[in-house]
Amino acid sequence: MGFRFRRSVKLAPGLRMNFGATGASMTFGGRGGSVTVGKRGAYANVGIPGTGFSFRQRINSGSSSSNRTTSSPVTTTQVSVTVSVRDDGTVFFKDRDGNTIDDALAAKIKKQNSGILKDLIQQKCDEINSQVEDLAKIHHYTPPPTKMPVFHPDTFGEPKPSAPQPETLGFFASLFKSKREKIESENQARAKRYEEELVGWHQRKDAFEQELAAQRKFIEQDIYHSVPAMEAFLDSCLQGITWPRETILSTEILDGGSTVFIDVDLPEIEDMPRQTANVPQRGMKLMIKDMSQSHVQRLYMEHTHGVGFRIIGEVFSNLPNSKEVVLSAFTQRSDKATGKVQDDYLYSVRVSRDAWGQINFKKLPSIDVVEALAQFDLRRNMTKTGIFKAIEPFEVN
C-alpha cells in the first residue's frame, strides 16, 4: 500500500503509581519498630512514626515467678514489616527477610489499624480501575478548534544586583593612613564585584529576552507560515499530553499547513486491562472482577476512537492554518494465512475544520466517541460488538 510518512513521534504514557509485581505495599520499621526483651517477656513493637500505625505483640512466654523480682537488662533489635496488596486483592504481611508473619500478629495489625490498611487497599482499587477509566476518557479533554495558541511570556526571575554601600571613614580611621587605605581598597573591591555582577545580570537578562522574543515569534508568526515550525509545535503539544498507553504517530503536513495527514499506531486489544475492582464495606480484601470479552471489546473501541478524536482536536486547536485532517489508525495483527505480523488499518477518517466545529465541546463526556467519528468521511469495517476488519485508508495525494 505504501502509506507511510517521513516523521514519527512517540507519545509515551504519563507517570503512574507503580505498585510493583505484588501490588500496593508499605514498609514500616526502623525508628518505629523494635523487639523488646525484658523481665516480663519478649514483645514486638512496630509502628509508622507520625501515623499512629503501631502494635505490640508478645512473642514468647513470660519469665517464671522467681524471675519476676529479678531485674533483667532490656535489649532492642530493629525489625521491619511490609504490608502489601496483591493483584488479586489479598492483603499479606512479611518481615524484613520476606517471610510471612504469624497469623495472630497479622490479625492484630488488621484490627488495630483497619483505617490505614483500608486506605492502602483503596489505593490498589483506584490503580486497577483507573487503567480502565483513563482509556475510555482520553477524548474528554479534547480542546475546541476555537482555542488558538496563545503566547504566555515568562518573567525574568533573577533580581537585579544591589549596589553596595561604601564603608565610610570614621574620625579615627581618617587619622591613620593604613586604616584609610584598607577601607578604600575594600570599597573598590565591592564596587568592582558589583559591576561584574551587574554586567552578568544584564547579559543573562538580554539572553532571556531574546529567547522570549523567539518564542513569541514562533507562536504568533512561525506556526502560521512555516511547515517545520508547525511540525515542531504539534509534536510538542502532543508529547505534553498524558497518554494512558504508549501511542506512536507519523505526520505529514501539506499545502502550506492546510492539510494534515496522521498515521496512528494503536495498542492491540491484548493490551487492554481485563479486571475491575471495588472495596467491600467489611473485610480486608479487594473484590476483583474479570471483565467480559464484550466489555473489553467495548473498551477497545472507545480507546481507539478516543485517541483519534483527541489527536484530530489537538491538530485543529494548535495549527491555526489547518483546514482538513486525515487520520488513519492501525494496529499490528498476525495474518491468519501466513502467520506474519502486519499493519491492519482499523479506521481512516477525513475531517474538515468546519465540520469539526459542529461538535459541542462543552459536553464531550456525554458523546459516544465511536459514533462521533462516523459523522465524518469515515472508512471503517466494524461489528457492533467492536470486532474490526482491515480497511484501506485514505492515501496522501
Side-chain angles (χ1 to χ4, degrees), residues 88-361:
D88 64 1
T90 57
V91 180
F92 66 99
F93 305 82
K94 290 187 176 181
D95 62 19
R96 181 172 52 190
D97 298 324
N99 301 314
T100 302
I101 69 172
D102 180 78
D103 289 344
L105 188 56
K108 195 173 187 66
I109 299 173
K110 291 180 180 181
K111 181 178 180 180
Q112 293 183 356
N113 304 280
S114 60
I116 294 175
L117 291 174
K118 283 186 176 180
D119 288 343
L120 185 65
I121 294 171
Q122 186 65 55
Q123 275 187 326
K124 183 62 179 177
C125 178
D126 295 342
E127 186 261 342
I128 293 173
N129 291 334
S130 66
Q131 295 184 29
V132 176
E133 296 167 359
D134 291 348
L135 291 173
K137 292 180 179 180
I138 185 66
H139 66 286
H140 289 189
Y141 314 102
T142 305
T146 54
K147 182 182 178 182
M148 295 289 100
V150 177
F151 176 67
H152 298 286
D154 293 328
T155 56
F156 185 62
E158 183 181 342
K160 185 177 181 179
S162 300
Q165 294 297 322
E167 183 179 349
T168 58
L169 293 173
F171 174 75
F172 289 103
S174 63
L175 298 178
F176 299 95
K177 181 180 179 180
S178 60
K179 183 66 174 178
R180 184 172 63 250
E181 288 177 346
K182 180 181 179 182
I183 292 175
E184 290 174 349
S185 176
E186 291 175 348
N187 285 339
Q188 290 173 0
R190 282 194 292 268
K192 183 179 180 181
R193 285 196 301 270
Y194 165 70
E195 291 297 331
E196 292 173 348
E197 292 172 356
L198 189 62
V199 169
W201 181 84
H202 278 294
Q203 290 175 343
R204 292 188 294 274
K205 186 172 184 292
D206 290 344
F208 174 83
E209 290 177 346
Q210 290 174 10
E211 177 63 24
L212 211 62
Q215 293 176 4
R216 181 185 295 276
K217 178 177 178 293
F218 181 80
I219 299 295
E220 296 181 352
Q221 298 181 35
D222 294 351
I223 64 172
Y224 289 83
H225 308 292
S226 168
V227 170
M230 297 176 195
E231 293 173 342
F233 187 61
L234 182 60
D235 290 352
S236 175
C237 294
L238 292 174
Q239 291 180 18
I241 298 171
T242 300
W243 298 88
R245 286 290 186 276
E246 182 179 83
T247 304
I248 302 174
L249 59 85
S250 302
T251 61
E252 183 78 8
I253 299 178
L254 305 175
D255 305 324
S258 65
T259 304
V260 181
F261 276 81
I262 300 178
D263 216 15
V264 186
D265 185 354
L266 296 170
E268 285 71 56
I269 192 169
E270 290 77 16
D271 296 328
M272 294 293 101
R274 296 178 179 272
Q275 291 181 325
T276 58
N278 66 79
V279 180
Q281 293 295 321
R282 297 179 179 274
M284 293 288 180
K285 177 179 171 63
L286 272 181
M287 299 298 294
I288 304 295
K289 181 180 179 181
D290 291 331
M291 297 166 58
S292 66
Q293 184 59 31
S294 61
H295 190 175
V296 174
Q297 289 177 183
R298 179 66 193 180
L299 177 63
Y300 188 65
M301 277 197 299
E302 292 175 344
H303 180 62
T304 54
H305 288 79
V307 167
F309 189 99
R310 178 69 181 271
I311 293 173
I312 293 171
E314 294 290 340
V315 173
F316 282 132
S317 177
N318 293 294
L319 299 184
N321 280 1
S322 59
K323 298 294 186 291
E324 182 180 72
V325 176
V326 180
L327 182 140
S328 301
F330 69 93
T331 188
Q332 288 83 31
R333 295 194 293 195
S334 177
D335 188 303
K336 292 182 179 180
T338 65
K340 294 182 178 180
V341 176
Q342 63 184 19
D343 294 342
D344 279 351
Y345 283 85
L346 306 187
Y347 65 86
S348 185
V349 61
R350 186 190 300 271
V351 186
S352 70
R353 178 180 286 273
D354 290 342
W356 189 252
Q358 300 304 308
I359 296 173
N360 186 347
F361 286 87

Side-chain angles (χ1 to χ4, degrees), residues 30-80:
R31 183 162 58 91
S34 65
V35 174
T36 302
V37 181
K39 63 181 181 179
R40 295 181 180 276
Y43 291 83
N45 310 285
V46 182
I48 305 176
T51 67
F53 190 163
S54 64
F55 63 89
R56 190 168 188 261
Q57 172 72 27
R58 190 168 186 166
I59 57 178
N60 73 346
S61 60
S63 56
S64 64
S65 59
S66 62
N67 292 331
R68 289 175 186 168
T69 59
T70 303
S71 178
S72 302
V74 175
T75 59
T76 299
T77 303
Q78 300 297 323
V79 298
S80 179

